[in-house]
Amino acid sequence: MSASYHLVFCSCPDKNTAKAIAEKVLRARLAACVNIGAASTSMYWWDDHLHSDEEVILNIKTTSEQLPALFEMVQAAHPYDVAELIAVPIEAGSEAYLQWLTEVTS
């Protein structure tokens, strides 16, 4: 396969925000699938203070080709000053799934 694939993690402040971002990137065909996780506690530094908040994590499956546009769209739609966007390469996957991912995002 010539395409390369990524799993993108993005934390959101609540489920409604997560759904809105997921729908936006899916309708733009910048992702083939977005999983919206259950709320969990995130602890992090911001403005020199330690914070603890409930967040919802998106797992976004996309291609390398769509990654720049995906990041741009999520950053524009996200309510955080600094949206968490972390892309990790998908090293392997079922051929049928990766082919579907390519078709959906092309």
Side-chain angles (χ1 to χ4, degrees), residues 7-38:
L7 175 60
V8 177
F9 300 100
C10 176
S11 58
C12 296
D14 55 56
K15 195 163 206 148
N16 286 338
T17 301
K19 282 183 171 181
I21 290 172
E23 185 171 342
K24 191 172 188 76
V25 299
L26 287 166
R27 289 195 181 280
R29 300 281 182 156
L30 298 178
C33 176
V34 180
N35 301 110
I36 301 172

Side-chain angles (χ1 to χ4, degrees), residues 22 33 38-39 42 52-54 62 68 71 75 80 82 94 102 106:
C33 176
S42 293
S52 177
D53 292 305
E54 293 297 306
T62 191
F71 273 35
Q75 287 168 333
Y80 290 169
V82 179
S94 84
T102 299
S106 295

Side-chain angles (χ1 to χ4, degrees), residues 30-103:
L30 298 178
C33 176
V34 180
N35 301 110
I36 301 172
S40 62
T41 303
S42 293
M43 297 184 70
Y44 57 94
W45 284 100
W46 189 254
D47 289 334
D48 207 27
H49 292 91
L50 190 59
H51 293 261
S52 177
D53 292 305
E54 293 297 306
E55 291 186 306
V56 175
I57 300 294
L58 297 177
N59 295 319
I60 306 167
K61 277 75 81 178
T62 191
T63 62
S64 295
E65 182 180 332
Q66 299 297 352
L67 206 54
L70 174 77
F71 273 35
E72 184 177 329
M73 181 174 281
V74 171
Q75 287 168 333
H78 207 287
Y80 290 169
D81 291 339
V82 179
E84 175 188 35
L85 283 167
I86 299 171
V88 295
I90 297 173
E91 296 289 326
S94 84
E95 190 172 329
Y97 183 84
L98 297 178
Q99 179 62 38
W100 168 78
L101 201 159
T102 299
E103 289 169 6

